[in-house]
């Protein structure tokens, strides 16, 4: 679709990338770290300063603690985090529940690993999960549920009731959660992103995937991270070590420096809200 859009000069909504640049300060920081010789392999789990800044961000936004040594790993983008989390858990014939329409990497990755995709079809107009129907998809072989809030492509978000239902259906099971939170800041009108990190009953069974490409508008850099309790992160790193080993060094240092200034992520909700409001004003009188 992107190739076709380029050929025809169409507005391309088929991939999640912005039409504005990353902060000049962040680009300058990458240059500075490259020039100062930060050009060799980073540690397998990621540059520690960056993992520390991520821990601070999660604490500030969700009042939740992750240990930078054992519970945070830098990945080559959100997609690699998703693949690695699935590969570290899914065995042949394990069932994974996904909510469709879904980001296009989930189903092929599950199938590649020999797992079975159990889709729940989200319905218009609000594209929310119907938990009594979701419950019917759960069997003794259900290994994982993949969540994506805010949701690509519909924009729906999990609310308090969804969280209550999730806690209830996973209680006394060993079902794990893969929570794709790459759009955590695309949340509007004063609502709060309900990260799995906020709820101890869900946090203990969750891999949370995030993307710096989405966070700081540089999808081509392909850097992200994964959060998980140490027991899950140990398994994640066994795959990560041989899938990518380690991620781009100078950009990790630059992101760590950039995140030292909290306002660079705390102000993202307002930044996106302004764009969203502008867009909704423009399409107000169209059939969309
Ligand atoms: C829901 C969702 N998850 C993950 C990703 C991948 O993020 P990254 O570019 O960091 O791999 C995307 C990209 O469009 C996405 O839409």
């Amino acid at each position: 679709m992107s190739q076709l859009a380029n050929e025809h000069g169409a507005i391309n909504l088929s991939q999640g990338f912005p039409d504005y640049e990353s902060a000049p300060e962040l680009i300058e920081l990458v240059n500075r770290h490259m020039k100062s010789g930060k050009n060799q392999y980073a540690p397998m789990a990621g540059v520690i300063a960056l993992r520390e800044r991520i821990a601070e961000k999660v604490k500030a936004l969700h009042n939740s603690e992750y240990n930078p040594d054992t519970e945070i790993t830098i990945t080559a983008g959100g997609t690699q985090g998703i693949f690695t989390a699935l590969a570290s858990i899914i065995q042949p014939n394990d069932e994974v529940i996904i909510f469709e329409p879904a980001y296009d990497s989930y189903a092929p990755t599950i199938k590649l690993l020999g797992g079975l995709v159990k889709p729940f079809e989200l319905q218009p107009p609000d594209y929310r999960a119907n938990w009594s129907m979701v419950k019917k998809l759960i069997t003794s072989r259900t290994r994982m549920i993949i969540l994506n809030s805010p949701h690509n492509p519909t924009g729906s978000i999990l609310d308090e009731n969804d969280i209550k239902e999730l806690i209830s259906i996973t209680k006394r099971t060993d079902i794990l959660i893969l929570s794709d939170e790459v759009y955590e800041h695309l949340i509007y009108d004063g609502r709060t992103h309900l990260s799995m990190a906020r709820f101890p009953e869900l946090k203990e069974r969750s891999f949370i995937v995030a993307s710096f490409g989405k966070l700081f508008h540089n999808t081509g850099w392909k850097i992200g991270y994964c959060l998980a309790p140490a027991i899950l992160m140990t398994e994640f790193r066994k795959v990560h070590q041989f899938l990518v080993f380690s991620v781009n060094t100078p950009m990790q240092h630059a992101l760590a420096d950039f995140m030292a200034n909290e306002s660079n992520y705390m102000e993202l909700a307002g930044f996106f809200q302004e764009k969203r409001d502008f867009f909704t004003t423009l399409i107000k009188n169209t059939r969309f």
Side-chain angles (χ1 to χ4, degrees):
M1 290 308 294
S2 294
Q3 195 179 335
L4 269 178
N6 290 341
E7 274 170 34
H8 294 276
I11 292 171
N12 181 9
L13 300 180
S14 70
Q15 279 188 318
F17 63 88
D19 65 350
Y20 41 89
E21 282 299 325
S22 214
E25 180 197 345
L26 181 52
I27 291 167
E28 188 46 47
L29 283 165
V30 174
N31 280 332
R32 202 182 305 159
H33 283 294
M34 279 185 174
K35 285 182 185 158
S36 76
K38 301 271 182 8
N39 297 304
Q40 308 308 328
Y41 292 129
M44 187 266 277
V47 166
I48 188 66
L50 180 56
R51 286 184 276 148
E52 286 167 355
R53 296 299 82 75
I54 292 167
E56 287 162 13
K57 172 176 183 282
V58 179
K59 174 81 181 152
L61 286 167
H62 306 303
N63 195 23
S64 181
E65 313 250 358
Y66 282 87
N67 182 330
D69 281 330
T70 55
E71 300 185 315
I72 301 175
T73 299
I74 309 302
T75 61
T79 312
Q80 187 240 310
I82 292 162
F83 187 100
T84 305
L86 284 165
S88 62
I89 299 297
I90 298 307
Q91 303 284 327
N93 297 319
D94 282 349
E95 296 177 0
V96 183
I97 296 174
I98 68 171
F99 295 89
E100 291 196 319
Y103 177 52
D104 52 12
S105 85
Y106 306 157
T109 305
I110 296 162
K111 289 181 195 163
L112 187 67
L113 298 166
L116 303 171
V117 179
K118 295 282 151 180
F120 177 87
E121 296 295 331
L122 297 166
Q123 299 296 328
D126 58 0
Y127 298 95
R128 307 193 61 81
N130 174 332
W131 293 103
S132 58
M133 306 276 279
V134 174
K135 255 182 235 168
K136 292 186 184 147
L137 294 177
I138 294 181
T139 72
S140 57
R141 292 202 308 218
T142 305
R143 197 77 194 94
M144 207 179 239
I145 299 175
I146 304 184
L147 302 169
N148 174 214
S149 176
H151 180 244
N152 176 12
T154 72
S156 69
I157 56 172
L158 295 174
D159 65 15
E160 296 282 358
N161 183 56
D162 297 316
I163 298 295
K164 227 187 291 167
E165 294 282 357
L166 265 169
I167 291 173
S168 148
I169 64 172
T170 53
K171 206 174 193 165
R172 284 189 285 278
T173 73
D174 55 9
I175 298 171
L176 299 178
I177 291 171
L178 171 53
S179 186
D180 178 345
E181 302 186 10
V182 302
Y183 294 114
E184 64 193 299
H185 295 285
L186 275 78
I187 193 142
Y188 310 113
D189 305 329
R191 297 212 179 110
T192 303
H193 166 56
L194 299 185
S195 172
M196 293 301 114
R198 289 178 170 244
F199 308 97
E201 303 96 316
L202 298 176
K203 176 181 174 177
E204 67 179 13
R205 59 175 81 238
S206 292
F207 294 94
I208 298 174
V209 166
S211 166
F212 284 114
K214 309 293 184 184
L215 197 64
F216 295 134
H217 336 306
N218 45 39
T219 57
W221 291 9
K222 294 300 298 186
I223 302 188
Y225 60 91
C226 181
L227 310 172
I231 192 167
L232 294 180
M233 189 50 83
T234 302
E235 299 309 308
F236 183 98
R237 287 182 182 172
K238 287 176 190 171
V239 178
H240 182 76
Q241 173 152 18
F242 300 109
L243 188 61
V244 288
F245 169 49
S246 79
V247 172
N248 190 314
T249 305
M251 285 176 182
Q252 290 192 63
H253 285 284
L255 286 163
D257 290 352
F258 191 65
M259 287 177 77
N261 178 359
E262 275 201 352
S263 64
N264 283 330
Y265 51 83
M266 285 305 201
E267 287 165 14
L268 283 170
F271 172 83
F272 285 123
Q273 171 103 32
E274 200 177 314
K275 291 183 180 299
R276 176 269 208 166
D277 289 348
F278 183 55
F279 180 72
T280 49
T281 310
L282 288 178
I283 63 164
K284 206 167 173 186
N285 295 323
T286 73
R287 63 198 173 90
F288 298 105

